[in-house]
Amino acid sequence: FFKAKQERNEQEEEEGEEEEESEGGLDLSMPENPTWCNMIWYIFTYPICAVLFCTLPDVRTERYQRNWKWAVVAFLLSLVWIGIFSNWLYECLVVVSNTLRIPVAVSAVTLLAGGTSAPDLISSYVVARNGQGDMAVSSSIGSNIFDVTVGLPLPWLIYTIAYGKPFSLGPQGSKGLGFSIILLVVMLAAVVGTIMCMKWRMTKGLGVAMLAFYLAYVMQYLLQKLPARCSADRTGVFQAVF
């Protein structure tokens, strides 16, 4: 079984290399015989693609192939652009939330969380299509563990070193923090237990269970953050002050 899987992966890699050679990197030219959907998508993504085309070395082209230095440069510049896009996403989300009078906490746990997880979703989808289901699951779980153990503490550590005092979340920011940590541990145990019940297989039932866990978390978070005496007729749920 292992030998057959290894031969299949090698064959897919050879086919992928042939496709990459035929593609020759990113092309900004207009697609041939485009449909309306293709044309709208081309116009919508052209500014981003043009900026990335001018600032990132495309390691798929013959000029930068088999050169680890350019690969490292492309990786570091990609991280810079991810940081810039993440900051723009946050700023735009705050402006839209304040304009529509939607609490920022609601937007953060839904739109912001989904937007920042889009790269994980795409990467997991790609590797899963290539038959690497274990890599897809490990990437999703590992990225969230990295966010909690490195993404949050590292800025706090830098702030503490720079200003010489501990970082305070304030009374509003620390509200329900202990319960959120306990819930995170419970959700992690539930996810691992569900995967074990599914015999470590990615099935449709597992996807439904994961979606149910997410909806349950969002609902309890909103119920926890909404004021106890909130009249939807008088102020509206999305106009309540958090």
Side-chain angles (χ1 to χ4, degrees):
F1 173 77
F2 176 77
K3 186 177 180 180
K5 183 178 180 180
Q6 186 176 7
E7 293 178 354
R8 185 173 67 253
N9 291 338
E10 291 177 355
Q11 183 178 1
E12 291 178 354
E13 289 178 358
E14 292 177 356
E15 294 176 354
E17 291 177 357
E18 293 177 357
E19 292 179 357
E20 290 179 357
E21 291 177 357
S22 62
E23 288 179 1
L26 180 63
D27 187 10
L28 296 179
S29 59
M30 187 176 298
E32 298 180 358
N33 301 324
T35 61
W36 281 105
C37 295
N38 294 337
M39 197 64 189
I40 293 175
W41 180 253
Y42 173 78
I43 296 174
F44 179 75
T45 58
Y46 184 84
I48 298 178
C49 293
V51 171
L52 298 180
F53 180 81
C54 296
T55 56
L56 294 178
D58 195 342
V59 295
R60 297 173 297 180
T61 58
E62 185 177 358
R63 178 182 179 183
Y64 302 111
Q65 276 185 349
R66 305 185 185 280
N67 191 329
W68 67 271
K69 295 182 180 179
W70 282 112
V72 172
V73 171
F75 177 75
L76 295 178
L77 290 177
S78 299
L79 294 180
V80 172
W81 276 114
I82 290 175
I84 294 174
F85 290 146
S86 299
N87 184 64
W88 285 351
L89 175 62
Y90 163 75
E91 296 293 343
C92 294
L93 187 64
V94 171
V95 173
V96 172
S97 300
N98 293 331
T99 303
L100 300 179
R101 305 186 68 180
I102 300 175
V104 179
V106 177
S107 302
V109 77
T110 54
L111 299 178
L112 185 60
T116 53
S117 300
D120 297 334
L121 172 64
I122 297 174
S123 61
S124 299
Y125 173 78
V126 171
V127 296
R129 286 290 301 271
N130 292 331
Q132 302 292 337
D134 53 349
M135 185 183 295
V137 176
S138 301
S139 174
S140 300
I141 298 178
S143 62
N144 289 278
I145 294 177
F146 180 85
D147 293 340
V148 175
T149 58
V150 179
L152 289 178
L154 185 59
W156 298 345
L157 178 62
I158 296 175
Y159 178 89
T160 304
I161 295 174
Y163 293 95
K165 60 180 181 179
F167 181 80
S168 177
L169 296 176
Q172 296 296 329
S174 60
K175 181 182 178 181
L177 182 60
F179 178 76
S180 298
I181 295 176
I182 296 175
L183 182 63
L184 178 63
V185 176
V186 173
M187 291 289 293
L188 181 60
V191 168
V192 175
T194 304
I195 296 177
M196 293 177 62
C197 293
M198 296 295 177
K199 299 180 180 180
W200 304 96
R201 297 175 59 188
M202 299 178 64
T203 60
K204 186 180 295 184
L206 179 62
V208 173
M210 296 299 175
L211 183 60
F213 288 153
Y214 173 73
L215 294 178
Y217 173 79
V218 172
M219 290 300 298
Q220 71 80 28
Y221 181 86
L222 296 180
L223 291 175
Q224 180 184 356
K225 289 295 183 179
L226 281 174
R229 297 178 180 179
C230 178
S231 175
D233 297 333
R234 182 169 55 87
T235 59
V237 174
F238 293 106
Q239 300 175 14
V241 180
F242 277 55

